Structures are given as structure tokens and as C-alpha cells.
């Protein structure tokens, strides 16, 4: 028996079904593993570069809609809930002004692989 005939005997659908079941199980595991690895890599790459705001700033507008400043109020926050709480408190204290929130996004560096880039010192 040659090697080709042994291989054909294992993969042929018209031969022993028990031998074919082993091949089908192995092939099924390879295909499943391929999809698991591929989808895992895609998920990792898509969720790796989510950028969140670094700071929240309260912006004050006067009666005429122009941006102004009020001395003695806090305008920079790191947590959005705290900024919203301060805005609601400021609206009660200063009824003639309007308040809104601005987000400051951090600078995004090039997301290339750092292994291949040389560090300059």
C-alpha cells in the first residue's frame, strides 16, 4: 500500500466511516481554533485604542451668549459626574449665566508597534 492510497483511504467518504470521523473532528477543531484566534485578534485590535477624555472643563456664558469667566469657581475636573454636579450647583448660584461642559481629548500618538521603533535618547 502506498502513502497516497493510505491517505485516500482515510479521507475518502466511501471507506470506513470511523476513520473519516477522526479526520472530521480534527478538521473541525482546526477551523474552530482559527476563528477563535482571528476574532480574538480583531477584538483586541479594535478595543486597544479607545480614547477617553483626560479632563472636563466648565465653560461659562453670560446673558448675551458670550464666553466669560467668573472668579472663584472651579472649572477643571477629571470625572464627568463631578463636573455635572458642579454645573448644576453653579446654575442655582449664578442664574444670569449659562454653563456647559467641554471635553479635552489627549493627544493620540502613532499606534505602530514600538518593538520595531528605535528609542532615541
Amino acid at each position: 500500500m502506498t502513502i497516497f492510497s493510505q491517505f485516500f483511504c482515510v479521507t475518502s467518504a466511501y471507506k470506513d466511516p470511523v476513520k473519516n470521523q477522526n479526520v472530521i473532528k480534527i478538521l473541525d477543531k482546526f477551523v474552530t481554533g482559527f476563528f477563535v484566534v482571528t476574532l480574538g485578534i480583531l477584538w483586541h485590535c479594535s478595543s486597544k485604542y479607545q480614547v477617553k477624555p483626560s479632563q472636563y472643563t466648565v465653560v461659562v456664558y453670560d446673558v448675551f451668549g458670550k464666553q466669560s469667566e467668573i472668579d472663584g469657581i472651579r472649572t477643571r475636573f477629571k470625572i464627568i459626574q463631578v463636573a455635572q454636579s458642579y454645573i448644576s450647583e453653579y446654575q442655582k448660584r449664578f442664574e444670569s449665566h449659562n454653563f456647559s461642559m467641554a471635553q479635552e481629548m489627549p493627544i493620540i500618538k502613532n499606534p505602530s508597534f514600538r518593538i520595531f521603533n528605535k528609542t532615541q535618547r
Side-chain angles (χ1 to χ4, degrees), residues 33-47:
F34 172 75
F35 280 112
V36 167
V37 168
T38 304
L39 292 175
I41 290 171
L42 288 174
W43 174 78
H44 175 71
C45 291
S46 66
S47 66

Side-chain angles (χ1 to χ4, degrees), residues 82-94:
V82 175
Q84 290 172 345
S85 174
Y86 270 84
I87 285 175
S88 65
E89 183 64 34
Y90 290 155
Q91 286 176 345
K92 292 176 187 174
R93 290 165 97 196
F94 306 102

Side-chain angles (χ1 to χ4, degrees), residues 18-69:
V18 175
K19 291 182 180 178
N20 287 336
Q21 286 177 357
N22 291 335
V23 172
I24 291 172
K25 284 181 184 179
I26 292 171
L27 184 64
D28 181 45
K29 289 184 183 196
F30 277 120
V31 170
T32 304
F34 172 75
F35 280 112
V36 167
V37 168
T38 304
L39 292 175
I41 290 171
L42 288 174
W43 174 78
H44 175 71
C45 291
S46 66
S47 66
K48 188 175 182 180
Y49 301 109
Q50 291 179 354
V51 179
K52 295 182 180 179
S54 61
Q55 281 192 345
Y56 300 94
T57 306
V58 174
V59 182
V60 182
Y61 296 101
D62 61 5
V63 178
F64 302 109
K66 295 182 180 178
Q67 189 172 348
S68 63
E69 292 183 12

